[in-house]
Every structure is written in C-alpha cells, then in structure tokens.
Amino acid sequence: MEIPAVVPAGRMSALPQPVLDLPGGWLLRPWEPYDAPALVASGGDPEIQHWNRTGRFTEARAEERIARYRANWETEKAAIWAVAPAAGGPAVGLIGLADLDLAGGSGEILYWLLPAGRGSGVMVKATDRVSRWAFEDLGLHRLRITHSVANPASCAIALKAGFPLEGTMRGALLHADGWHDEHLHARLRTDTPG
C-alpha cells in the first residue's frame, strides 16, 4: 500500500505567497526587487556571515536571488519571506522554509536579521508565525531548526518559538572557522503552542 503525500504536490504553488502580520509593527512579505540592498547588507554583516552560508551579494546577484525566492515558491522548493516594518520600508531580515519535503510533511526554518531588526523580538514572532502557517495552511507535520552550538541567539529563538532541543549533530556544518556541531530543534503540528 502506498503512503499518500502529507501535502499534495501543487498545494503550495496554487496559492499566492501570503503576507503574514506580526505583532509589534512587523510583517512577513515576499521579497521584492527593491529589497536587494538588504541582501547586499547581509553579505557584509559579520554576524550573518559567521552563522549563515549566504555569501556576498552584488546588487545584480541580490536581484537574481530574489527572483529565485519567487521561483522556489512556484516550484515548491522553499518559502522565503522578508521581515519588514508593517508601515513599509526595506527588509531587515529573512525567514523561510527550506529543504521542503511536501510528500513527507517536513521542512527546515532558516532566519537572519540585520542590526536594524536585532533585539526587537521579531524573529521569535516570525518563527512562530511561519510555523503556524506551515502547519495550519500548508499542512506540514514537522519543522526543524538547526544552528551551530556556538550560536546562543539562534538557540534562544528556537526555544522561545516552541522548538524543543532534540539533540546535537556532531560536525554537521562547515563554517568559515571549521566544522561546527549543530543543535537540532523541532516542532510538530500536534505540539501545544508555547
């Protein structure tokens, strides 16, 4: 007997990528070409570069990446949002679902913030909101967050957003300063929020 797909192919791409409201004057929206400077800035930010593998961007490369974010939605490979002020203005961060396995019902949350968004608590809210969308609207069963064990800020975000620590993956990701062990956090659709 064949196991049916948790999320049928085509469910995500049939919908427009939503704008998700957040408390505190923030929202999550699709990336726009005018957000290219935020990607360029992320490539020059030492914190983002230390913990992420985004690389550096020229304006043209940033615009190509934004086009890829949109294409990844249409091909159901990823769902990437800009973290931005609700009143308008450029992106101050990124959050998304990557490594999507719709048939298997899982994905991985990834995120970063520029200095303009740090310390506001927005990433905890964004992580919870994307999780609720992934479970309630898309229909996924399991979401995970991985981060270097040397990155306590990402660990705190995961825990505050309802992603308990499941374990440590040894030598799991190569950073510029060598191999890092990574924490694995996960949240299930059936978990009680908060």
Side-chain angles (χ1 to χ4, degrees), residues 96-107:
L97 292 171
D99 197 21
L100 279 174
D101 176 4
L102 297 181
S106 69

Side-chain angles (χ1 to χ4, degrees), residues 64-91:
E64 290 170 4
R65 179 65 59 93
I66 291 167
R68 187 180 331 151
Y69 292 157
R70 292 180 174 277
N72 284 345
W73 176 275
E74 294 166 7
T75 58
E76 301 185 323
K77 292 180 180 174
I80 308 295
W81 283 270
V83 179

Side-chain angles (χ1 to χ4, degrees), residues 35-47:
D35 291 312
L39 286 182
V40 173
S42 76
D45 183 84
E47 285 295 308

Side-chain angles (χ1 to χ4, degrees), residues 100-121:
L100 279 174
D101 176 4
L102 297 181
S106 69
E108 181 167 2
I109 291 186
L110 46 91
Y111 46 72
W112 54 256
L113 278 174
L114 290 167
R118 293 181 192 149
S120 65

